[in-house]
Amino acid sequence: ALWIADLYYWRIAFMIIPVLSIISLAIALLSIKKEEITASECFNINVLKNIFKQYWKLIKNFECVVYILIYAFATASYVVIFSNISIVFVHNDHIHQEVFSYFIIADSMLYVLSSFLSIYIIVKKGIDYTKNLGFIIFMFGCFGLFVFSHLDSHNINIILTFILIISFGSGLVTGFMLKATSILPHMKGAILSFSYVLISLLSARKIYWTQVFFDNTIMPTSTVIFIGASILIILFSTVYYQKSKKGKLTLL
């Protein structure tokens, strides 16, 4: 949708997204078997209590919440970056519209490629190795974007390079979700839904703050991402320290 919007007209993205959403909803509804759930079950008080119990159990598991938060933050950062760079680099005439469209395609392909690559690395090296590698690459991209955007916010080549690094790391960070589901294997549905909620909340908040401090440069975006990344490093270090004391964890 972003690519088409850049090639034609920005409002077309908002026309495409509802159409794709309706198609996705139709496919989901057709995939649900009638006997799987009834209307009365949806409003059954015992079912609702069980759902709240699952979420409470999930929230109490600090390690699992941190892993989900890292995955959600990486995905939200990917969304926020692309909600801002088109305004910064295209509308301010730093990059030609067509060139920027090709960059979006290349970056999206890199994200998909790294997501598939994460599966291969998981098979070869394991989930812990993959998620930690993704975390290091993602954080390197976040801190690099922050530093170089403040040194020279108009250095397009170096800034776009770190955005590519962030996207590559974001794909590998998928391993955190697999690790979270391995911690609570009977709560995969709750973990997935919780991650989607976090992604939506983080994306909305980060977009809001980047717009509040928007100055026609990439600096507000890189700063918001930098602050969030710093908090995640503290949380992840806490989990790592707790597990390393028990001899259950190595970094790579």
Side-chain angles (χ1 to χ4, degrees), residues 63-167:
E63 181 184 358
C64 193
V65 170
V66 170
Y67 291 163
I68 297 171
L69 187 59
I70 291 172
Y71 169 78
F73 180 85
T75 306
S77 297
Y78 186 82
V79 172
V80 171
I81 286 173
F82 281 97
S83 71
N84 286 283
I85 61 173
S86 60
I87 300 173
V88 173
F89 294 133
V90 177
H91 294 283
N92 290 337
D93 297 325
H94 296 298
I95 300 179
H96 190 273
Q97 187 171 333
E98 185 176 352
V99 174
F100 182 71
S101 300
Y102 288 124
F103 172 76
I104 289 179
I105 295 173
D107 188 84
S108 300
M109 291 178 64
L110 180 64
Y111 179 80
V112 173
L113 177 63
S114 65
S115 297
F116 282 108
L117 180 62
S118 68
I119 299 173
Y120 175 81
I121 299 176
I122 286 172
V123 173
K124 292 293 183 179
K125 296 288 188 177
I127 294 177
D128 286 328
Y129 181 94
T130 306
K131 70 177 179 58
N132 293 340
L133 177 64
F135 186 76
I136 292 171
I137 294 174
F138 175 74
M139 289 300 166
F140 175 74
C142 291
F143 282 86
L145 180 64
F146 173 76
V147 172
F148 284 95
S149 67
H150 282 72
L151 289 176
D152 185 2
S153 62
H154 298 294
N155 191 331
I156 297 172
N157 292 329
I158 192 70
I159 288 174
L160 293 185
T161 297
F162 278 106
I163 289 175
L164 289 173
I165 294 173
I166 289 173
S167 298

Side-chain angles (χ1 to χ4, degrees), residues 55 68 71-72 75-76 177 188-204:
Y55 275 108
I68 297 171
Y71 169 78
T75 306
M177 280 297 291
K188 292 181 180 179
I191 290 172
L192 289 174
S193 61
F194 186 59
S195 68
Y196 294 145
V197 171
L198 283 179
I199 290 171
S200 299
L201 289 175
L202 288 172
S203 298

Side-chain angles (χ1 to χ4, degrees), residues 47-58:
V47 173
L48 293 176
K49 285 182 178 179
N50 184 52
I51 292 173
F52 284 118
K53 284 181 180 178
Q54 283 195 332
Y55 275 108
W56 180 242
K57 184 176 181 180
L58 170 60

Side-chain angles (χ1 to χ4, degrees), residues 6-24:
D6 284 323
L7 287 179
Y8 297 101
Y9 188 53
W10 67 271
R11 283 193 175 91
I12 197 170
F14 295 95
M15 300 176 187
I16 294 173
I17 292 173
V19 173
L20 295 177
S21 299
I22 292 172
I23 293 174
S24 300

Side-chain angles (χ1 to χ4, degrees), residues 158-184:
I158 192 70
I159 288 174
L160 293 185
T161 297
F162 278 106
I163 289 175
L164 289 173
I165 294 173
I166 289 173
S167 298
F168 185 75
S170 296
L172 295 179
V173 163
T174 305
F176 278 98
M177 280 297 291
L178 294 177
K179 185 64 177 180
T181 55
S182 69
I183 296 173
L184 299 172

Side-chain angles (χ1 to χ4, degrees), residues 181-235:
T181 55
S182 69
I183 296 173
L184 299 172
H186 59 291
M187 295 177 58
K188 292 181 180 179
I191 290 172
L192 289 174
S193 61
F194 186 59
S195 68
Y196 294 145
V197 171
L198 283 179
I199 290 171
S200 299
L201 289 175
L202 288 172
S203 298
R205 288 293 86 195
K206 287 163 76 173
I207 289 175
Y208 170 77
W209 286 113
T210 55
Q211 296 308 307
V212 167
F213 297 103
F214 187 69
D215 60 355
N216 289 317
T217 72
I218 196 67
M219 287 191 288
T221 302
S222 66
T223 301
V224 169
I225 291 175
F226 169 78
I227 293 172
S230 301
I231 295 172
L232 287 184
I233 287 178
I234 295 172
L235 294 175

